[in-house]
Structures are given as structure tokens and as C-alpha cells.
């Protein structure tokens, strides 16, 4: 039974990480839908910095788990797919149509950052680049 689970692990990483990213988005950002109006009439939000930081720190754990086991493509693609789908669903009621620009930025940003973080984690877990002492 354990061998069967180990063989299924690579195929399950992407959908599981996508679902975790989607759930983390819902937990941290999905409930906050109103904009804050400042005294001068400008609006901010709907998200606060602490919410986005919480989302990133929450997603760091599953990305670390996957990257440390050499499932780098799963870590990168699963997280990116989950965040992109969540952003699309959350922002698709925007009448201006600019939400697709934001969704694209979430996709590119999460793809780049999870790739970088996964590469660093995999490199550190492997022992880093080998160094040869100069003689």
C-alpha cells in the first residue's frame, strides 16, 4: 500500500497544492470584499498587507514540503494554478474588465516567486552547490 501511495504522490502534488492555495486565498482574502474610504475620498483595499503576508506564509509550508521532496514542478504549478483560479473567481465580477490584468499579474508573480523559492529550497536541501577548495 505504501509503494502505491509513493507512486501516486507526483501526480497528486499539483491538484493538492492547487486546492491548498485556493483554500488559503479563501481563508485570508476571500472574506474581505469592501474597500476602505479615506478621509480625503480615496479608496484603498480591499486587502490589507497583513492578509497578503498571511497568505504567503501559509503557502510557504506546502511549497517547502513539495520542493524539499523534489516535486518542484508540482510546487510551482499547483500553487500558481490555485492562486490564479482563486483570483479569477474573486475578481470576475469587476465591471471594468481590468480584473484580467490583475489575474495575469497574480499568475506571473506567483509563478516567478514559487519557482525561485522552490529552487532555493531544493538547493539547500541538496546541500547547496558543491564547492571545491582552491589549491
Amino acid at each position: 500500500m505504501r509503494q502505491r501511495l509513493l507512486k501516486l504522490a507526483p501526480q497528486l502534488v499539483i491538484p493538492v497544492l492547487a486546492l491548498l492555495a485556493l483554500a488559503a486565498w479563501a481563508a485570508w482574502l476571500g472574506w474581505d470584499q469592501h474597500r476602505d474610504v479615506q478621509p480625503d475620498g480615496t479608496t484603498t483595499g480591499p486587502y490589507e498587507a497583513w492578509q497578503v503576508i498571511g497568505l504567503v506564509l501559509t503557502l510557504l509550508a506546502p511549497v517547502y514540503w513539495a520542493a524539499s521532496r523534489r516535486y518542484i514542478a508540482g510546487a510551482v504549478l499547483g500553487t500558481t494554478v490555485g492562486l490564479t483560479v482563486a483570483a479569477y473567481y474573486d475578481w470576475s465580477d469587476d465591471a471594468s474588465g481590468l480584473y484580467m490584468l490583475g489575474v495575469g499579474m497574480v499568475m506571473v508573480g506567483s509563478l516567478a516567486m514559487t519557482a525561485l523559492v522552490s529552487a532555493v529550497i531544493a538547493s539547500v536541501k541538496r546541500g547547496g552547490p558543491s564547492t571545491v577548495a582552491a589549491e
Side-chain angles (χ1 to χ4, degrees), residues 37-42:
V37 179
Q38 304 300 320
D40 63 355
T42 60

Side-chain angles (χ1 to χ4, degrees), residues 6 16 20 47 52 54 67 73 78 102 105 112 117 119 121-122 129:
L6 289 176
V16 167
L20 285 172
Y47 313 122
V52 178
M105 290 170 61
V117 168
I121 290 169

Side-chain angles (χ1 to χ4, degrees), residues 4-47:
R4 176 184 266 173
L5 287 176
L6 289 176
K7 288 181 181 179
L8 278 177
Q11 290 102 8
L12 293 176
V13 171
I14 292 174
V16 167
L17 282 178
L19 288 174
L20 285 172
L22 207 135
W25 180 288
W28 285 101
L29 306 178
W31 54 272
D32 193 0
Q33 299 297 319
H34 74 281
R35 296 192 176 274
D36 299 321
V37 179
Q38 304 300 320
D40 63 355
T42 60
T43 59
T44 61
Y47 313 122

